[in-house]
C-alpha cells in the first residue's frame, strides 16, 4: 500500500503538474507579448472561472470520491456517478443560458471591461471544466493514474497548440488566449465523456442518493469558496486598491510561487483516495508517518523553489525570458507564496481527521475563518506594502488555517507528530527566504542547496538509515507493481 501511494503520487504528480504546467510554459509568452494591463484582465478572467467552478460543483465532486471509493459493487458505484453527473449537467446548461443572456452587463461588473465575447468564452470554459472533472475523479478513484496522466497531457498540449495558432499566428490577443482554453476544454470533455456515459443511466436516478451526496458535499461549497477567496480574491482587491496593471504584475509572481502548489496538489491526488480507503482509516500510525515525512519533503522542495526561481526567470530562450522585463517587480512575492503553499500542504495533510470522522462542516468553518482573515489582511497590508502585502496576507491566512485544523484534530482525531522535525523544517525555509532577499550570486544559491542535506543531517532531521530507506522505497515504487 505504501508503495502504491508513492507510485501513484508520482504518476498523479505528472498528471497534475502537466495540467498546471501550461501556466509556466505560457508565462514567458504572456509576460513578453501582453502588457501588465492585458495580463491583469486575463488574471481576473481565470479568477472568476475558479470561483464559479467551485460553486457549480456543489461539493458533489468531493462527495462522489468519498462514497464511490468504498462502494461494494458496480450498481452502487453507478448510482453515485449518475446522481452526481446528471444534476451537474443540468446546472451547467442553466448557468450557460443565463450568462449568455446577461453577458453584456456581467462582463463590465465582473471583469471591469466591456468584453461580452470574453465573458461568453469564459462561461464555456466553466461548463466544460465542470463536466470533464467528474470522469477524472473516477479515474482517480479507480486507481488509473496512467489514463489520468494521458488526459492531462492532452489538455496541456492541445491548449498550447491552440494558443500558438490563435495568439501567435492569428494575433487575437486576449480573445485568442481564452478561446484556446475553450477549445482544449471542449476537446477534453469529448474525450472523457465515454468514461461517464457507459456508467450512468436514468434508472439509477434516486433522490435519496442525491440527498446523501449533497449532504456530505454541501459544506465543501463554502469550503471551496473560502479557499478561492484566500487564493484569488487578492486580484480583485488589488484592482480596487491599486489598478489592473498591478493585478497583472502580482499574478505573474503568484504563478511562479505556485510551483509549490503543484507539489502539494500532486501528492493530494493520491493522498485522498489513500486515507479514504477502509484499510487505512483506522491505522493512525501509517497516516502519522506519512504526514511527518511528507511535510519534511515539502519543506525541502519549498527551499529549492525559493532559492532558484529568480535566476531561472532570467533564462533567455528564443528571445523570450521566462519573465518579461515589465514583470520583474513580481519576483518579490514569490518566496511568500511558496511559504503560503507549504502551510497549505500542512493543512491538506491533516484532512484525514474531518473526512474519516464525517465532520466535514469543520472544514468549511476553518476555511471561512481563513477567508475572513485573508480579506481583512489584504485591505490592511496592500495599502502599506503594495503587492507584497497581498503575498503576506495569503501566507498568514494559510498559516492560520493549518493551525486551526491542527487544534481541531487534537480533539477529534489526534495523531503523533514529529514536532522537532517540523520546527527545523520551518526554520530552514525562513532562513532561505532571508538569504533569497539578500539576492546572492547564482553559485552561492547552488552551494546552499548542496549544503542543505548536510545541514539537515547535522540537525538530526535525517540519518544514514533513513537515506537508505528512502532510496529503497523509491526504487520499489518505481520498479515493482
Amino acid at each position: 500500500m505504501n508503495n502504491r501511494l508513492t507510485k501513484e503520487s508520482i504518476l498523479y504528480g505528472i498528471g497534475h503538474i502537466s495540467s498546471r504546467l501550461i501556466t509556466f510554459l505560457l508565462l514567458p509568452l504572456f509576460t513578453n507579448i501582453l502588457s501588465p494591463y492585458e495580463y491583469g484582465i486575463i488574471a481576473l478572467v481565470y479568477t472568476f472561472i475558479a470561483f464559479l467552478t467551485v460553486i457549480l460543483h456543489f461539493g458533489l465532486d468531493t462527495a462522489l470520491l468519498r462514497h464511490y471509493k468504498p462502494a461494494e459493487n458496480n450498481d452502487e458505484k453507478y448510482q453515485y456517478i449518475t446522481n452526481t453527473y446528471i444534476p451537474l449537467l443540468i446546472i451547467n446548461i442553466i448557468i450557460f443560458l443565463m450568462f449568455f443572456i446577461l453577458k453584456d452587463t456581467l462582463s463590465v461588473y465582473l471583469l471591469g471591461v466591456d468584453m461580452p465575447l470574453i465573458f461568453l468564452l469564459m462561461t464555456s470554459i466553466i461548463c466544460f471544466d465542470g463536466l470533464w472533472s467528474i470522469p477524472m475523479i473516477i479515474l482517480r478513484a479507480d486507481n488509473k493514474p496512467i489514463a489520468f496522466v494521458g488526459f492531462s497531457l492532452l489538455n496541456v498540449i492541445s491548449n498550447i497548440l491552440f494558443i500558438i495558432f490563435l495568439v501567435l499566428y492569428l494575433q487575437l490577443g486576449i480573445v485568442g488566449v481564452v478561446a484556446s482554453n475553450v477549445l482544449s476544454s471542449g476537446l477534453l470533455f469529448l474525450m472523457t465523456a465515454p468514461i461517464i456515459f457507459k456508467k450512468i443511466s436514468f434508472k439509477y436516478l434516486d433522490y435519496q442518493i442525491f440527498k446523501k451526496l449533497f449532504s456530505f458535499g454541501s459544506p465543501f461549497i463554502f469550503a471551496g469558496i473560502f479557499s478561492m477567496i484566500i487564493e484569488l480574491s487578492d486580484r480583485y482587491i488589488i484592482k480596487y486598491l491599486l489598478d489592473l496593471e498591478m493585478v497583472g504584475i502580482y499574478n505573474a509572481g503568484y504563478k511562479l510561487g505556485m510551483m509549490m502548489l503543484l507539489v502539494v496538489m500532486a501528492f493530494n491526488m493520491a493522498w485522498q483516495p489513500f486515507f479514504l480507503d477502509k484499510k487505512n482509516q483506522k491505522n493512525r500510525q501509517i497516516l502519522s508517518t506519512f504526514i511527518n515525512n511528507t511535510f519534511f519533503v515539502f519543506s525541502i522542495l519549498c527551499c529549492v523553489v525559493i532559492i532558484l526561481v529568480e535566476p531561472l526567470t532570467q533564462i533567455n530562450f528564443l528571445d523570450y525570458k521566462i519573465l518579461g522585463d515589465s514583470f520583474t517587480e513580481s519576483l518579490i512575492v514569490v518566496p511568500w507564496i511558496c511559504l503560503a503553499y507549504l502551510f497549505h500542504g500542512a493543512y491538506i495533510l491533516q484532512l484525514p481527521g474531518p473526512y474519516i470522522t464525517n465532520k466535514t462542516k469543520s472544514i468549511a468553518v476553518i476555511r471561512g475563518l481563513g477567508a475572513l482573515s485573508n480579506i481583512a489582511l489584504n485591505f490592511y497590508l496592500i495599502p502599506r506594502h503594495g503587492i507584497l502585502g497581498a503575498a503576506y496576507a495569503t501566507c498568514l491566512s494559510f498559516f492560520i488555517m493549518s493551525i486551526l485544523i491542527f487544534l481541531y484534530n487534537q480533539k477529534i482525531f489526534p495523531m503523533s507528530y514529529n514536532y522537532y522535525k517540523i520546527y527545523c523544517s520551518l526554520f530552514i525555509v525562513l532562513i532561505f527566504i532571508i538569504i533569497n532577499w539578500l539576492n546572492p550570486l547564482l553559485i552561492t544559491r547552488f552551494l546552499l542547496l548542496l549544503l542543505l542535506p548536510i545541514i539537515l543531517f547535522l540537525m538530526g532531521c535525517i540519518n544514514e538509515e533513513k537515506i537508505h530507506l528512502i532510496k529503497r522505497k523509491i526504487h520499489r515504487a518505481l520498479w515493482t507493481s
Side-chain angles (χ1 to χ4, degrees):
M1 183 62 68
N2 295 356
N3 287 339
R4 196 190 81 188
L5 178 62
T6 305
K7 181 186 294 184
E8 290 188 4
S9 292
I10 294 171
L11 289 172
Y12 284 126
I14 294 170
H16 186 75
I17 289 173
S18 65
S19 65
R20 293 296 187 103
L21 189 61
I22 191 168
T23 297
F24 304 103
L25 293 176
L26 296 176
L27 193 62
L29 176 65
F30 292 160
T31 59
N32 282 275
I33 290 180
L34 302 176
S35 68
Y37 178 85
E38 292 172 317
Y39 193 54
I41 294 173
I42 291 176
L44 293 184
V45 166
Y46 286 99
T47 296
F48 183 74
I49 288 174
F51 267 113
L52 203 61
T53 299
V54 169
I55 295 172
L56 293 183
H57 275 150
F58 289 96
L60 294 176
D61 53 338
T62 304
L64 175 62
L65 182 61
R66 171 66 178 85
H67 293 288
Y68 179 93
K69 183 69 179 176
E72 296 180 354
N73 54 65
N74 284 338
D75 281 340
E76 189 177 353
K77 290 182 176 181
Y78 295 169
Q79 278 186 321
Y80 289 127
I81 296 173
T82 299
N83 288 279
T84 297
Y85 192 80
I86 291 181
L88 287 179
L89 178 62
I90 295 171
I91 291 166
N92 276 278
I93 292 172
I94 293 172
I95 290 296
F96 182 84
L97 293 174
M98 183 176 69
F99 279 13
F100 177 80
I101 296 170
L102 300 173
K103 62 183 182 299
D104 295 308
T105 303
L106 292 177
S107 67
V108 176
Y109 282 105
L110 295 175
L111 301 180
V113 291
D114 186 13
M115 293 184 173
L117 176 58
I118 293 289
F119 189 82
L120 188 60
L121 292 171
M122 182 180 69
T123 304
S124 301
I125 295 171
I126 292 168
C127 294
F128 282 135
D129 284 1
L131 294 174
W132 66 250
S133 67
I134 301 303
M136 296 296 273
I137 287 174
I138 293 172
L139 291 177
R140 285 174 59 197
D142 286 338
N143 300 118
K144 296 181 178 179
I146 294 177
F148 183 93
V149 171
F151 285 122
S152 297
L153 289 173
L154 172 67
N155 188 31
V156 172
I157 294 170
S158 63
N159 201 344
I160 291 174
L161 292 176
F162 286 133
I163 284 178
I164 290 173
F165 180 71
L166 296 178
V167 178
L168 290 182
Y169 182 71
L170 296 182
Q171 297 185 345
L172 295 180
I174 299 174
V175 173
V177 173
V178 184
S180 298
N181 201 330
V182 174
L183 292 172
S184 60
S185 293
L187 177 62
L188 194 58
F189 164 73
L190 293 175
M191 295 296 291
T192 57
I195 298 173
I196 284 289
F197 292 155
K198 64 183 180 182
K199 294 184 178 182
I200 63 173
S201 173
F202 285 105
K203 72 178 183 179
Y204 289 125
L205 280 174
D206 187 321
Y207 175 73
Q208 294 302 320
I209 297 293
F210 173 77
K211 184 178 178 181
K212 179 182 178 180
L213 290 166
F214 185 77
S215 177
F216 179 88
S218 56
F220 289 93
I221 302 173
F222 300 101
I225 292 172
F226 295 147
S227 290
M228 290 300 100
I229 288 174
I230 295 171
E231 293 188 44
L232 301 169
S233 65
D234 47 13
R235 281 34 161 223
Y236 276 97
I237 297 174
I238 290 171
K239 176 182 177 293
Y240 175 74
L241 296 176
L242 303 176
D243 54 41
L244 259 177
E245 183 174 336
M246 295 310 296
V247 173
I249 291 172
Y250 175 74
N251 195 60
Y254 199 102
K255 294 297 183 184
L256 291 170
M258 281 179 64
M259 283 191 280
M260 190 63 215
L261 175 64
L262 299 185
V263 174
V264 172
M265 295 310 296
F267 173 80
N268 191 47
M269 290 288 178
W271 177 235
Q272 280 193 16
F274 178 80
F275 71 68
L276 289 175
D277 194 309
K278 289 181 178 179
K279 298 176 184 177
N280 301 316
Q281 288 185 10
K282 294 182 180 180
N283 195 331
R284 298 191 189 188
Q285 185 57 46
I286 288 180
L287 296 176
S288 297
T289 300
F290 273 104
I291 290 171
N292 288 321
N293 292 337
T294 303
F295 183 78
F296 179 66
V297 173
F298 284 170
S299 302
I300 294 173
L301 294 174
C302 187
C303 290
V304 174
V305 174
I306 288 170
I307 210 70
L308 289 184
V309 69
E310 186 166 342
L312 288 175
T313 59
Q314 302 306 310
I315 294 175
N316 197 312
F317 181 73
L318 298 177
D319 293 329
Y320 287 95
K321 287 184 177 180
I322 290 181
L323 190 68
D325 292 334
S326 301
F327 294 83
T328 52
E329 184 184 350
S330 67
L331 289 171
I332 60 174
V333 310
V334 175
W336 297 103
I337 299 302
C338 285
L339 181 58
Y341 283 115
L342 176 61
F343 290 134
H344 183 50
Y347 168 84
I348 283 176
L349 285 168
Q350 297 178 85
L351 285 178
Y355 270 83
I356 292 171
T357 58
N358 283 321
K359 297 184 182 296
T360 54
K361 291 181 181 179
S362 63
I363 296 175
V365 173
I366 291 170
R367 290 187 183 179
L369 293 172
L372 289 174
S373 67
N374 181 260
I375 293 172
L377 287 167
N378 270 308
F379 276 104
Y380 178 77
L381 293 171
I382 290 174
R384 290 163 175 78
H385 303 283
I387 60 173
L388 188 56
Y392 290 155
T394 301
C395 186
L396 289 171
S397 299
F398 278 124
F399 174 72
I400 290 169
M401 284 174 51
S402 65
I403 293 298
L404 289 176
I405 196 169
F406 166 76
L407 295 174
Y408 186 67
N409 268 339
Q410 295 307 300
K411 296 181 179 179
I412 64 167
F413 199 79
M415 286 186 285
S416 175
Y417 297 116
N418 187 333
Y419 293 104
Y420 175 75
K421 185 183 285 188
I422 292 172
Y423 295 148
C424 287
S425 301
L426 292 174
F427 175 74
I428 291 173
V429 172
L430 291 173
I431 292 298
F432 269 65
I433 290 177
I434 294 171
I435 294 172
N436 180 75
W437 176 72
L438 295 173
N439 196 21
L441 296 173
L442 181 60
I443 186 66
T444 306
R445 294 172 185 267
F446 278 113
L447 285 174
L448 281 169
L449 289 179
L450 291 174
L451 289 172
L452 183 57
I454 299 174
I455 295 170
L456 294 171
F457 182 81
L458 293 175
M459 295 177 73
C461 294
I462 57 175
N463 53 50
E464 190 174 349
E465 182 182 348
K466 287 183 178 179
I467 292 173
H468 290 303
L469 180 62
I470 291 170
K471 286 182 179 179
R472 288 197 300 271
K473 283 189 173 183
I474 292 175
H475 184 271
R476 285 200 303 267
L478 290 174
W479 302 105
T480 63
S481 58

